[in-house]
Amino acid sequence: MKSFKLLGILLIVAFVLSACGGGTATGGEKPMEYKGEIKVAILAPLSGPVPTFGEMTRDGALLAIEEWNAKGGVNGYKIVPIVEDSQCTPDPAVNAANKVVNQDKVHYIIGEVCSKASIPISEIANAAKVVQISPTSTNPSVTVDANGKTKDFIFRACFIDPFQGQVGAKFAMENLGAKTAFIMLDQANDYVKGLAEFFEKSFTGMGGTVVGKESYTANDTDFSAILAKIADAKPDVVYLPDYYNIVNLVTKQAKEKGITVPFIGGDGWDSADLDKAAAAGGYFTNHYSSDDPRPEVQNFRKNFESKYGKVPDALAALSYDATNLMLQAIADTGEDNPEKVRLTLEKITFKGVSGTITFDASHNPIKSATILKVTPEKVIFESVVNP
Ligand code: PHE
C-alpha cells in the first residue's frame, strides 16, 4: 500500500516537472499556459577579448525575457532565448548569425555588442528580413549602408559615435581645459577608428590641436614606442577609445613610465574588469550610471542584483532595454511578423532604463551621454551631456 502511494506521488512530481519543461512555466501559483513560442537570438561576446561585455549583455536580455514570460509572454507566446557566442569578432559573428537565422529560424536578434561584429551581422539579418537591435554598437555603419541608406530591419538602443566623440572632445576642452590631444587607435576596429575620427573632428573644430596620432593592433601588448612619443609630445589629454582589455595594458604601462596625462575614452571602458588602479585619473563617456537616482535605474539595479549578485553596467542596462524594446514592439504589433515589427519600431516611443527611445530616419535613438571618472577604488558619475 505504502509503495503505491509513493509511486503515485512520484508520478505527480514527474508530471509537474515534465509539464514545466514542455511549453508551460510557473508564474507564481499556477502553471502558465502559452499559445506557442517566439525565439529571440542573443548574440554576444562570451569568449574572446571582452567577455564581461557578453556576460552583461546576455544577463540583461535574459532578465527582460524572464519578466515577460512571468507576465504570460508576448501576446500569449513564450519567449525562448537562443544565446550564441559571437566573440566581438567578424567571423564568429557571421557564423552565429547564420546559425540563428538559417537553422533556428529566428525573426529577432539582440546583439552584437561590438560594432565590428554588429556590422557583418546586420548584412545577414537585413537580407533575411530579421529584425536586429544592437544594444550597444555605436558606429554609424551598423544601421546605415555604404550609400547612406538605412537598413530596413536594423536598429540600435544607444547613441552613435559622432555624438560620443563630440562629448569626449567638449569635455576635454571645457572641463579639463585641454588645448592639445594625442590620439591612439586600432585602425582595424570600426568602433575605435570611428570614435577617434569623430573626436578629432570635434576637438580641432573647437580650436584644439592634435599633436600626435598613433596606431596599434589588437594583438599588441607592448605600447612603449607610442608611450615614448606621448611623453615627448606632452599633450593635455590622450584619447584612447578602445575596449577595457587594451585600456588596461596601455594605462598600466603609462603609469609605469610616469606619464600622468589624463586618458579619455568611450563606452568601451565600461567593465568590472577595467583596471581602475591603472586607469585612475581617466574619464570616459558612457550610456548610463548605476548610481543614477532615477527610480527606473534603481529598480532595474535592484532586480538585476538580486538575480545575478552583481551591479549592472551600461551593457546590461542597454541589453535589458533593447530586449524590452523588441518584445514591446512585437506586443504592439500583435503578431510575430518581422516586416510589421520593424515598422512598429520606427514609430515607437519606449521608456527604458537608459532613457527614452524614439528612432530617427537612420534608426538611431537620440539619447544623452554620461561622463564617468575613474578612481583607484571606483568609477564615479561626473556629469550628463544632452544632445
Ligand atoms: N560601443 C561599442 C562598440 O560599438 C561597444 C560597447 C558599448 C562597449 C558599451 C562597452 C559598453 O563597439
Side-chain angles (χ1 to χ4, degrees), residues 53 113-115 136-139 161 191 243 267-268 270 286-287 315:
F53 289 176
V113 171
C114 304
S115 294
T136 49
S137 290
T138 44
N139 186 277
D161 286 333
Y191 159 72
Y243 303 135
D267 50 0
D270 190 14
N286 204 2
H287 307 267
L315 296 122

Side-chain angles (χ1 to χ4, degrees), residues 128-324:
K129 299 190 188 315
V130 165
V131 184
Q132 176 190 1
I133 304 179
S134 167
T136 49
S137 290
T138 44
N139 186 277
S141 303
V142 173
T143 58
V144 170
D145 70 17
N147 303 319
K149 187 184 173 299
T150 302
K151 301 171 193 170
D152 287 340
F153 288 79
I154 316 300
F155 298 79
R156 77 178 101 220
C158 51
F159 55 62
I160 54 172
D161 286 333
F163 172 64
Q164 177 163 219
Q166 185 198 351
V167 170
K170 241 179 142 192
F171 177 78
M173 292 204 113
E174 291 174 5
N175 298 62
L176 303 181
K179 295 193 168 53
T180 58
F182 192 106
I183 299 174
M184 288 182 66
L185 73 158
D186 171 2
Q187 305 267 7
N189 184 324
D190 297 302
Y191 159 72
V192 178
K193 188 166 170 266
L195 198 42
E197 269 168 30
F198 298 123
F199 173 90
E200 179 172 10
K201 207 169 150 218
S202 296
F203 193 75
T204 53
M206 288 184 281
T209 309
V210 172
V211 291
K213 195 167 151 189
E214 292 292 329
S215 299
Y216 53 86
T217 72
N219 298 324
D220 287 350
T221 51
D222 177 2
F223 294 89
S224 50
I226 299 180
L227 291 168
K229 289 186 182 167
I230 292 174
D232 276 352
K234 298 193 181 48
D236 295 329
V237 293
V238 178
Y239 195 56
L240 175 59
D242 209 324
Y243 303 135
Y244 67 91
N245 59 321
I246 297 285
V247 176
N248 287 349
L249 291 171
V250 173
T251 54
K252 185 152 189 274
Q253 291 170 29
K255 284 242 165 24
E256 283 163 7
K257 292 195 176 336
I259 293 173
T260 55
V261 182
F263 279 76
I264 301 180
D267 50 0
W269 286 34
D270 190 14
S271 172
D273 286 353
L274 178 73
D275 182 345
K276 292 189 278 300
Y283 298 85
F284 64 99
T285 44
N286 204 2
H287 307 267
Y288 135 111
S289 160
S290 57
D291 293 329
D292 186 332
R294 280 187 303 125
E296 296 91 323
V297 174
Q298 289 314 313
N299 217 357
F300 163 68
R301 178 175 173 166
K302 193 180 85 225
N303 295 340
F304 189 94
E305 275 188 26
S306 74
K307 183 166 162 68
Y308 300 111
K310 59 186 178 187
V311 179
D313 61 14
L315 296 122
L318 284 169
S319 176
Y320 180 77
D321 280 354
T323 307
N324 278 317

Side-chain angles (χ1 to χ4, degrees), residues 310-381:
K310 59 186 178 187
V311 179
D313 61 14
L315 296 122
L318 284 169
S319 176
Y320 180 77
D321 280 354
T323 307
N324 278 317
L325 172 65
M326 184 80 93
L327 299 181
Q328 187 62 54
I330 302 171
D332 290 353
T333 304
E335 58 179 295
D336 172 8
N337 179 330
E339 293 255 17
K340 291 185 182 167
V341 170
R342 72 148 197 108
L343 294 173
T344 303
L345 277 170
E346 285 188 339
K347 293 188 212 81
I348 209 164
T349 299
F350 174 81
K351 281 201 171 39
V353 169
S354 62
T356 297
I357 294 174
T358 56
F359 291 104
D360 68 11
S362 305
H363 292 180
N364 298 319
I366 313 290
K367 293 166 83 185
S368 41
T370 304
I371 294 177
L372 301 172
K373 178 181 178 154
V374 186
T375 73
E377 300 77 36
K378 61 187 289 211
V379 173
I380 328 176
F381 174 78

Side-chain angles (χ1 to χ4, degrees), residues 75-95:
N75 302 328
Y77 287 77
K78 182 182 184 181
I79 301 303
V80 178
I82 297 176
V83 180
E84 292 293 335
D85 179 9
S86 39
Q87 298 178 35
C88 184
T89 306
D91 284 349
V94 163
N95 292 341

Side-chain angles (χ1 to χ4, degrees), residues 10-163:
L10 282 176
L11 279 175
I12 291 170
V13 170
F15 174 76
V16 170
L17 285 178
S18 71
C20 287
T24 54
T26 42
E29 309 274 279
K30 59 177 188 322
M32 202 169 278
E33 292 291 342
Y34 298 107
K35 288 187 209 156
E37 294 182 345
I38 297 176
K39 292 178 199 164
V40 174
I42 300 158
L43 305 186
L46 296 163
S47 68
V50 286
T52 69
F53 289 176
E55 288 153 18
M56 284 288 184
T57 300
R58 175 197 60 202
D59 294 347
L62 293 181
L63 176 61
I65 290 173
E66 185 181 289
E67 289 172 359
W68 277 86
N69 283 339
K71 288 183 299 188
V74 173
N75 302 328
Y77 287 77
K78 182 182 184 181
I79 301 303
V80 178
I82 297 176
V83 180
E84 292 293 335
D85 179 9
S86 39
Q87 298 178 35
C88 184
T89 306
D91 284 349
V94 163
N95 292 341
N98 279 327
K99 188 245 171 198
V100 297
V101 169
N102 300 326
Q103 227 166 291
D104 301 313
K105 308 247 182 276
V106 299
H107 295 160
Y108 311 99
I109 294 176
I110 301 297
E112 228 250 15
V113 171
C114 304
S115 294
K116 67 176 174 185
S118 285
I119 294 169
I121 292 171
S122 74
E123 306 297 334
I124 295 168
N126 204 47
K129 299 190 188 315
V130 165
V131 184
Q132 176 190 1
I133 304 179
S134 167
T136 49
S137 290
T138 44
N139 186 277
S141 303
V142 173
T143 58
V144 170
D145 70 17
N147 303 319
K149 187 184 173 299
T150 302
K151 301 171 193 170
D152 287 340
F153 288 79
I154 316 300
F155 298 79
R156 77 178 101 220
C158 51
F159 55 62
I160 54 172
D161 286 333
F163 172 64

